[in-house]
Amino acid sequence: RPSAARAMGFTREELDALRAIFSGDPGAAAGTKEPIDRMLPALSTTPVAERLLERAAFERGEASFEQLVAALKPLGGLTPLAEKLEALFDAYDLDGDGKLGGSDMFALLKTFMHPSLPDEAIAARAEDVLGGAEGLDFAAFCGAFCPQDILCMVLVI
């Protein structure tokens, strides 16, 4: 039978780190809610975390620890690669149309490309990836990058 940590996608150590980010109080009562904005600086080294939290749309900008873990499950070391890929795609499908269009692809590439690259270079790469298409569905997204590119993006989340 899988452990609770495995079912949540996180190792025990990762859950402990998330709990510290959540409240700093290991004895905090279950169901306690904390402001998401307070947690974002600690998660800023993980580029996709903020997008995943935005997608979760927490009521009043607050989340319980359980809600935080559920929203960030794709970041977990025990989360299957396929689930990570789907989460990466969904996190950057900004308009929710099931395709990564020009602005979606630009946002994704801007997150993962070197920060010194000018926006024009990132936009040109986004156009190259789209190859003239209006947008890429999930299968096309996976086919547009070599496996090493996708693996690097997924390992960052």
Side-chain angles (χ1 to χ4, degrees):
R1 190 176 131 198
S3 71
R6 180 170 290 283
M8 289 185 263
F10 291 97
T11 65
R12 177 63 45 210
E13 294 79 16
E14 290 170 330
L15 285 174
D16 290 345
L18 279 176
R19 192 172 305 283
I21 290 169
F22 176 72
S23 71
D25 178 8
T32 301
K33 294 200 173 196
E34 294 285 337
I36 293 296
D37 288 346
R38 190 189 57 70
M39 295 178 238
L40 288 177
L43 295 168
S44 66
T45 59
T46 308
V48 181
E50 187 170 356
R51 289 210 185 273
L52 292 173
L53 293 174
E54 285 172 7
R55 291 287 209 188
F58 298 109
E59 188 177 323
R60 295 187 322 267
E62 296 180 334
S64 68
F65 180 69
E66 294 76 14
Q67 290 170 317
L68 178 72
V69 168
L72 297 178
K73 182 181 178 189
L75 305 178
L78 301 177
T79 300
L81 182 59
E83 195 173 327
K84 288 178 179 283
L85 283 172
E86 286 181 45
L88 179 66
F89 180 87
D90 290 344
Y92 286 92
D93 179 11
L94 303 177
D95 57 11
D97 67 353
K99 292 185 177 187
L100 294 185
S103 60
D104 301 330
M105 188 61 66
F106 177 84
L108 181 138
L109 293 175
K110 187 165 180 71
T111 299
F112 292 102
M113 294 181 88
H114 197 277
S116 68
L117 283 174
D119 284 354
E120 297 79 24
I122 296 169
R125 178 66 181 128
E127 287 178 26
D128 289 345
V129 171
L130 290 172
E134 286 186 30
L136 303 178
D137 63 15
F138 181 67
F141 164 75
C142 291
F145 295 93
C146 70
Q148 293 84 358
D149 291 337
I150 293 175
L151 188 59
C152 286
M153 285 187 266
V154 170
L155 290 176
V156 172
I157 66 170

